[in-house]
Amino acid sequence: MPTITLIEHNGTQHSVMGEVGQSVMQAAMNAMVPGIQADCGGACSCATCHAFVEDAWTDVVPAAEDAELDMLEFANERQETSRLTCQLTIQENMDGMVLRLPESQY
Ligand code: FES
């Protein structure tokens, strides 16, 4: 199972194990990582599962589709590396991936 590290804004790290095919958001929610709200439950309609992909991993994650890009317009503190974690499907090559969480999802 790939392990993904999520780093809260305060620096607290959470390494979560995810199943291939599961979303990063779901793996984070299962591990009760603070800072991911996921108000819409993964329907790409809330932008409260927002995270920043660390630079070393931006080539590994598939490009965002239009629906995700549209919803990212509503993400707090949006950056170049912003993604909605409900739209990031865990793959084997994501083992070790690091994402940082924004200070707030709202
Ligand atoms: Fe709502 Fe990701 S959980 S957009």
Side-chain angles (χ1 to χ4, degrees):
M1 276 192 199
T3 300
I4 293 169
T5 298
L6 297 117
I7 304 175
E8 290 183 68
H9 189 76
N10 67 9
T12 305
Q13 296 193 16
H14 304 268
S15 289
V16 304
M17 303 238 293
E19 291 180 29
V20 172
Q22 181 181 45
S23 72
V24 171
M25 177 277 279
Q26 196 61 59
M29 295 297 281
N30 289 350
M32 293 189 286
V33 174
I36 296 273
Q37 302 299 323
D39 290 345
C40 77
C44 196
S45 59
C46 74
T48 64
C49 62
H50 175 209
F52 312 111
V53 177
E54 284 278 275
D55 288 342
W57 293 91
T58 53
D59 289 344
V60 172
V61 294
E65 295 190 2
D66 287 348
E68 181 182 351
L69 291 172
D70 288 349
M71 192 48 56
L72 275 168
E73 301 276 335
F74 299 96
N76 199 22
E77 309 170 41
R78 184 180 179 182
Q79 299 176 7
E80 285 267 306
T81 58
S82 288
R83 295 300 298 262
L84 297 180
T85 56
C86 71
Q87 302 302 303
L88 287 180
T89 303
I90 296 172
Q91 299 167 9
E92 287 291 355
N93 64 354
M94 291 180 180
D95 187 39
M97 185 166 72
V98 179
L99 298 98
R100 291 183 178 273
L101 301 178
E103 184 169 14
S104 169
Q105 293 286 358
Y106 301 101

